[in-house]
Amino acid sequence: MRLALDKLLEKLGVDHVLSPYETQPWVHYDTEKGITCSAEVRMGPGSEDVEAEIQFLHDDKEDEEDGDSEDGGKEGGDGEGESKTRIIDGREQIMRMRALPVAGDQWSPVFLTVKGENYVNEIHDWEEKGCNFFRACIEAVSMGVLPDIDELIEKELDDDGGWGGGRKGKIGRKSPNVKPGQLLGMKKGI
């Protein structure tokens, strides 16, 4: 995916070209869960890169539940290694994307992690899907809702099989059994 800077920023929910050091923030606080969702798109100094980032900021750390790690953080998820996301000092990195100029005025994402998992070249059309995931998160935040990250990962970052592997469901999974004589309409005994 190669786009002009203004089109890339538009895909990330920013309606103007950012200046160096400029940031477009979105924030929502869920009082019941004690979690703040912070999302932002920022332009680097000198306009040489664009980063999009989503973090959850937890009010309490509840380190006892999942166990402390050596660096004072804890593993996210259910404690069974399901998630690589770490909560350190109440911060949980949900997503980080970085885009760079690649040719002339064309920009392209070069880095994407979601909940600690690298998506670069791991799924078909990862650049577009990463932008869609970010946009879905900020749409939830803009509506005053804490984004359901696992649901959005399944919806927006699902590998749709664009690189082969067949379709989901029964159609397209098996090759038909064909007898060689039937291919040319030949029947035995004629």
Side-chain angles (χ1 to χ4, degrees), residues 1 3 9-10 12 15 22 32 56 77 94 106 119 139 149 166 168 171 180 183-184 190:
M1 175 174 89
L3 299 168
L9 291 170
E10 187 177 300
L12 294 171
D15 61 357
E22 186 177 1
E32 289 180 17
F56 279 1
I94 300 298
Q106 300 293 298
Y119 280 86
E139 285 173 1
I149 299 303
K168 294 180 181 175
I171 299 174
L183 289 175
L184 300 174
I190 297 182

Side-chain angles (χ1 to χ4, degrees), residues 97-163:
M97 175 186 266
R98 184 170 187 224
L100 299 172
V102 290
D105 66 344
Q106 300 293 298
W107 288 65
S108 181
V110 295
F111 178 82
L112 174 64
T113 59
V114 178
K115 291 185 80 173
E117 187 173 334
N118 179 20
Y119 280 86
V120 176
N121 296 325
E122 295 296 322
I123 60 173
H124 176 69
D125 204 15
W126 67 270
E127 302 101 326
E128 182 78 27
K129 289 180 180 185
C131 291
N132 292 345
F133 176 81
F134 183 82
R135 185 107 185 209
C137 287
I138 65 168
E139 285 173 1
V141 167
S142 297
M143 293 187 309
V145 177
L146 190 67
D148 183 338
I149 299 303
D150 293 329
E151 180 182 310
L152 291 175
I153 287 172
E154 192 170 311
K155 179 181 176 191
E156 301 295 342
L157 295 174
D158 182 35
D159 193 2
D160 58 7
W163 286 347

Side-chain angles (χ1 to χ4, degrees), residues 12-190:
L12 294 171
V14 180
D15 61 357
H16 66 285
V17 175
L18 299 173
S19 301
Y21 294 106
E22 186 177 1
T23 299
Q24 172 69 53
W26 295 268
V27 178
H28 171 68
Y29 179 67
D30 186 312
T31 56
E32 289 180 17
K33 295 181 180 178
I35 298 174
T36 301
C37 178
S38 169
E40 68 180 30
V41 175
R42 60 183 170 266
M43 177 65 76
S47 299
E48 75 280 351
D49 70 331
V50 171
E51 287 189 354
E53 182 177 62
I54 300 169
Q55 288 185 351
F56 279 1
L57 306 169
H58 298 262
D59 286 351
D60 54 355
K61 296 180 203 155
E62 299 177 13
D63 286 337
E64 318 74 58
E65 279 187 25
D66 291 334
D68 289 331
S69 65
E70 291 179 9
D71 61 0
K74 70 175 184 179
E75 294 295 326
D78 60 3
E80 296 179 8
E82 188 174 292
S83 173
K84 297 178 187 175
T85 305
R86 299 188 56 82
I87 301 173
I88 301 172
D89 295 328
R91 290 175 294 149
E92 179 182 7
Q93 186 75 39
I94 300 298
M95 178 200 169
R96 186 163 168 258
M97 175 186 266
R98 184 170 187 224
L100 299 172
V102 290
D105 66 344
Q106 300 293 298
W107 288 65
S108 181
V110 295
F111 178 82
L112 174 64
T113 59
V114 178
K115 291 185 80 173
E117 187 173 334
N118 179 20
Y119 280 86
V120 176
N121 296 325
E122 295 296 322
I123 60 173
H124 176 69
D125 204 15
W126 67 270
E127 302 101 326
E128 182 78 27
K129 289 180 180 185
C131 291
N132 292 345
F133 176 81
F134 183 82
R135 185 107 185 209
C137 287
I138 65 168
E139 285 173 1
V141 167
S142 297
M143 293 187 309
V145 177
L146 190 67
D148 183 338
I149 299 303
D150 293 329
E151 180 182 310
L152 291 175
I153 287 172
E154 192 170 311
K155 179 181 176 191
E156 301 295 342
L157 295 174
D158 182 35
D159 193 2
D160 58 7
W163 286 347
R167 296 179 181 253
K168 294 180 181 175
K170 293 181 180 178
I171 299 174
R173 288 212 174 214
K174 292 175 99 177
S175 297
N177 292 328
V178 178
K179 297 176 185 168
Q182 293 174 334
L183 289 175
L184 300 174
M186 297 186 293
K187 294 184 180 178
K188 285 192 174 186
I190 297 182

